[in-house]
Amino acid sequence: MGYAATRSLERVAAAMGQLAAAPIEFQTACDVPQGGVLLALPALLAQGLLRYSPQRYQLPEGFYGLDSIFLLLGFMALARIGSLEQLRYEPPGEWGKLLGLDRIPEVRTLRAKLKLLCQDLGRALRWNAELAKEWIARQTDSELYFYCDGHVRVYHGEQTALPRHYVARERLCLRATTDYWINAMDGQPYLYVNKEVDPGLIATLQQDVIPWLEASVAKSPDQQKRLAEEPRAHWFTIVFDREGYSPDLFEQMRQKQIAVLTYHKFPKQDWSAAEFTPHSVQLSGGETLTLKLAERGTQLSNKLWVREIRKLTDSGHQTPILTTNFQAPMTALAVSLFARWSQENFFRYMREHYSLDRLVEYGTEPVPDTISVVNPQWRKLDSQIRSKTSQRYRLTAQFGALVLSEQPTESELQGYQQRKGQLQEQIQHLDLEIATLKQQRQQTPHHVPVKSLPEEDRFTRLRTERKHFVDTIKMIGYRAETSLASLLRQHLARSDDARVLLRQVFQNEVDLVPDSANHTLTVRLHHLTQAAHDQAIAQLCATLNETQTVFPGTNLKLIFEIGSSRIPPGQEVVG
């Protein structure tokens, strides 16, 4: 049965099909490592970790119930256990105490559970979408901003030859897959969609992001009335970087009464410095600074009028911003666009602390036949055109660099004319080749369905269902950590220490003291490294106790406190 398996009769009953799931039974225990993750349980439940699982996910009868599996995965994310394989090196009995079991499942058992949960393709995305819809509904701001950006996950394996993507953080074109994320202004995630073949930000906005937001963002009666009465009123604002610049897209969004906010990809000459005035603004993180801003109306290539806002830096550089949001003040729009870096910081934090780019399983699956990819023949012709054009550029430079001295000799003049003629002949020959190649490229389809690719050019995609399922739990973990950090910051002298302190708490030891008579489970966190942190965590515990959280599957109300071990007399301590 494995190490720390002490509930033998229940395991035998589960193996014989006589037990739906092991009952959750806590015992008094001291010094349980990484028990600090229990402090995040109220936040995990509030973010919906178990809210939709009974409707969308089921497991056959066995020792480990569905709630225990979800809680284990949530605690693993917060404890920075980046993969299932890494769980091999964690004490199974100690982790079992945190779940009210004798031990956690072995890695192969947990893999089997995940395989059962992730059998239906698309179920994880639907669960993520339901959670995201609820998270959006919680937003109390009258002005909703949604940030969309792509995150490139590099693949270094050999199971499939994925298309190459440009990875900005490495400045290389590498085999990868792209996830397009939708986040809030403070970086908290809502949803992501995976693109095994990246169609670009514009196509993803049109085909996936905007339709989902239209179906998920509710309209209040007052908002519906305002949208009907005011042609320039907007429903919400979508924020993205220069990759999404498209006047046609802006016009489509205007017709849907969705505002856009992005950078101007093709700004004209700089504005006069006299137009810029200083404005005091507050960033999304609470910091206050002064920005020099100016605004004009701008007409794009498709005759669409938009607002153009520019920020002037101390060096004289002007950052141009475009928006179809005609209600928000200039300062709010500037702050909202520059808050896009919160999404970049989210990607970096998730890669570093939640192993966002890590594979969850090995294996590939077929790419849907409806997916279109760049035609290999078109790509080959395009590459040849680029190569020939580069050669022509170099020859033209050589042609223009040929000069004669003031008093050339007969031999110099003859050599000059001969070299000029040779270069001119080579340039004309390249012009003919380039024109022929361009004509062939024009007659060749740019994109073709995957099913029409030659066998040597076909590829498969990385399995997506289990990855999206685990990533959704990591999203819940990140949002839970963020909510705890927001509570903790008000009790810290240095607000930036909140996440660092929480990571320390999640790794800290706890004592567990169940009281069946009073229906409570006391989680006593051991002292931290300094008194100031103890005081801040004590305040956090008091706030968490007000939630009256009951551990799932039991009638035990959680009581959090910090201090030294005080085991009530007469209670047996499990070592």
Side-chain angles (χ1 to χ4, degrees):
M1 292 186 182
Y3 289 116
T6 59
R7 298 165 66 169
S8 305
L9 293 179
E10 292 173 353
R11 290 183 176 275
V12 171
M16 298 177 64
Q18 302 298 316
L19 184 67
I24 305 302
E25 298 176 353
F26 282 95
Q27 298 180 357
T28 303
C30 289
D31 307 331
V32 182
Q34 297 175 307
V37 295
L38 285 174
L39 269 72
L41 182 58
L44 289 172
L45 297 178
Q47 294 297 334
L49 178 63
L50 304 181
R51 191 157 301 137
Y52 294 102
S53 54
Q55 290 78 17
R56 295 200 175 275
Y57 293 101
Q58 299 84 32
L59 284 176
E61 294 184 349
F63 186 82
Y64 297 103
L66 186 64
D67 285 358
S68 296
I69 297 298
F70 273 71
L71 288 173
L72 173 59
L73 293 172
F75 289 158
M76 285 173 57
L78 292 172
R80 285 13 182 203
I81 299 176
S83 67
L84 302 185
E85 284 68 27
Q86 193 177 340
L87 201 61
R88 297 179 187 274
Y89 307 102
E90 302 294 334
E94 301 299 312
W95 271 84
K97 296 172 186 176
L98 301 177
L99 299 175
L101 301 172
D102 53 354
R103 61 158 293 157
I104 57 174
E106 292 184 353
V107 171
R108 61 180 178 180
T109 303
L110 190 55
R111 274 208 213 100
K113 299 289 186 183
L114 280 183
K115 184 177 180 180
L116 292 171
L117 292 171
C118 301
Q119 286 179 329
D120 296 338
L121 189 64
R123 181 185 291 179
L125 178 58
R126 293 191 294 272
W127 181 45
N128 183 190
E130 287 290 337
L131 289 171
K133 190 173 181 179
E134 178 186 333
W135 295 335
I136 292 173
R138 293 181 186 176
Q139 297 295 317
T140 57
D141 298 333
S142 58
E143 189 81 21
L144 290 178
Y145 291 86
F146 297 98
Y147 293 74
C148 183
D149 197 7
H151 172 64
V152 180
R153 287 191 288 117
V154 179
Y155 176 65
H156 298 288
E158 299 178 354
Q159 297 201 13
T160 181
L162 290 175
R164 295 185 182 274
H165 296 69
Y166 178 71
V167 187
R169 60 183 179 272
E170 300 188 29
R171 299 182 180 179
L172 293 171
C173 284
L174 302 171
R175 299 199 181 277
T177 183
T178 303
D179 299 327
Y180 283 94
W181 287 76
I182 306 171
N183 294 63
M185 183 183 290
D186 60 356
Q188 293 200 71
Y190 290 124
L191 179 94
Y192 83 83
V193 290
N194 175 258
K195 294 294 182 182
E196 59 281 330
V197 178
D198 186 7
L201 179 58
I202 296 174
T204 303
L205 285 170
Q206 293 172 326
Q207 300 168 11
D208 299 283
V209 175
I210 298 301
W212 180 79
L213 286 174
E214 289 179 302
S216 302
V217 181
K219 292 179 183 177
S220 65
D222 291 342
Q223 193 175 33
Q224 291 178 357
K225 181 180 179 181
R226 181 170 56 85
L227 291 173
E229 295 176 349
E230 302 178 29
R232 284 192 168 186
H234 63 275
W235 185 1
F236 55 82
T237 302
I238 184 77
V239 186
F240 44 85
D241 62 12
R242 290 177 180 85
E243 185 186 350
Y245 178 87
S246 168
D248 292 338
L249 174 65
F250 301 165
E251 174 61 27
Q252 294 172 17
M253 295 302 101
R254 187 192 65 81
Q255 295 175 4
K256 295 175 180 287
Q257 291 188 289
I258 298 173
V260 299
L261 179 60
T262 185
Y263 297 103
H264 199 330
K265 195 172 185 179
F266 305 107
K268 297 180 181 179
Q269 64 272 14
D270 286 350
W271 297 353
S272 170
E275 295 186 46
F276 293 85
T277 56
H279 297 268
S280 179
V281 299
Q282 186 176 19
L283 302 182
S284 58
E287 305 90 345
T288 300
L289 51 82
T290 300
L291 300 179
K292 293 181 179 180
L293 302 174
E295 180 178 355
R296 291 182 185 177
T298 298
Q299 191 177 41
L300 302 181
S301 58
N302 61 347
K303 309 302 181 182
L304 176 67
W305 279 97
V306 298
R307 297 172 67 183
E308 181 172 356
I309 301 168
R310 292 197 181 187
K311 185 192 79 166
L312 179 64
T313 64
D314 294 337
S315 64
H317 175 72
Q318 297 182 11
T319 303
I321 301 170
L322 291 184
T323 183
T324 55
N325 184 332
F326 292 95
Q327 273 72 45
M330 173 176 60
T331 53
L333 292 170
V335 168
S336 299
L337 182 58
F338 299 141
R340 200 184 66 81
W341 285 102
S342 296
Q343 193 175 30
E344 300 291 346
N345 293 335
F346 164 77
F347 292 147
R348 183 176 62 182
Y349 191 84
M350 290 294 286
R351 287 200 316 271
E352 181 178 352
H353 294 283
Y354 284 85
S355 303
L356 181 64
D357 291 351
R358 192 158 190 165
L359 287 177
V360 176
E361 63 175 329
Y362 296 102
T364 60
E365 57 190 15
V367 177
D369 291 340
T370 56
I371 298 295
S372 294
V373 297
V374 177
N375 188 344
Q377 186 62 31
W378 187 95
R379 182 187 286 114
K380 181 179 179 181
L381 291 170
D382 186 67
S383 177
Q384 292 175 353
I385 291 172
R386 292 173 181 270
S387 177
K388 299 291 184 183
T389 303
S390 297
Q391 293 178 32
R392 186 190 185 283
Y393 177 81
R394 290 193 294 270
L395 290 176
T396 304
Q398 294 177 24
F399 185 87
L402 288 177
V403 293
L404 280 173
S405 60
E406 294 182 358
Q407 296 180 350
T409 62
E410 184 68 24
S411 60
E412 288 176 346
L413 183 60
Q414 187 176 7
Y416 171 81
Q417 293 175 341
Q418 183 178 8
R419 181 57 180 160
K420 279 277 190 180
Q422 292 174 350
L423 289 175
Q424 189 171 7
E425 182 179 356
Q426 293 177 18
I427 291 173
Q428 291 174 350
H429 181 69
L430 282 174
D431 286 339
L432 292 175
E433 289 186 338
I434 292 172
T436 303
L437 289 171
K438 284 184 176 181
Q439 186 177 6
Q440 294 177 5
R441 186 181 65 177
Q442 187 176 8
Q443 297 172 354
T444 303
H446 191 177
H447 291 85
V448 294
V450 170
K451 61 182 179 181
S452 64
L453 287 176
E455 191 64 34
E456 63 272 12
D457 293 322
R458 293 189 181 183
F459 60 92
T460 54
R461 68 178 182 181
L462 302 177
R463 292 177 181 172
T464 57
E465 184 64 21
R466 208 175 300 185
K467 171 67 174 170
H468 203 136
F469 175 78
V470 173
D471 283 349
T472 301
I473 292 181
K474 290 179 179 179
M475 278 190 241
I476 295 172
Y478 178 86
R479 294 181 70 93
E481 180 183 319
T482 301
S483 63
L484 292 177
S486 65
L487 294 172
L488 195 56
R489 284 192 181 99
Q490 55 188 323
H491 305 298
L492 292 173
R494 291 167 49 93
S495 59
D496 292 342
D497 291 344
R499 289 191 184 273
V500 179
L501 182 55
L502 283 174
R503 294 199 295 270
Q504 181 186 356
V505 168
F506 295 153
Q507 298 296 327
N508 205 11
E509 298 175 342
V510 300
D511 299 334
L512 300 177
V513 185
D515 187 345
S516 57
N518 295 316
H519 305 297
T520 62
L521 173 62
T522 301
V523 180
R524 184 174 297 115
L525 186 72
H526 288 195
H527 287 294
L528 300 173
T529 54
Q530 53 182 286
H533 291 170
D534 281 357
Q535 294 171 6
I537 295 299
Q539 296 290 335
L540 177 63
C541 289
T543 303
L544 295 177
N545 290 336
E546 293 175 0
T547 64
Q548 301 285 309
T549 302
V550 175
F551 194 94
T554 72
N555 61 352
L556 300 178
K557 183 181 68 175
L558 290 169
I559 299 176
F560 300 101
E561 60 183 42
I562 184 169
S564 304
S565 297
R566 298 191 308 275
I567 303 301
Q571 288 201 20
E572 181 182 356
V573 178
V574 179

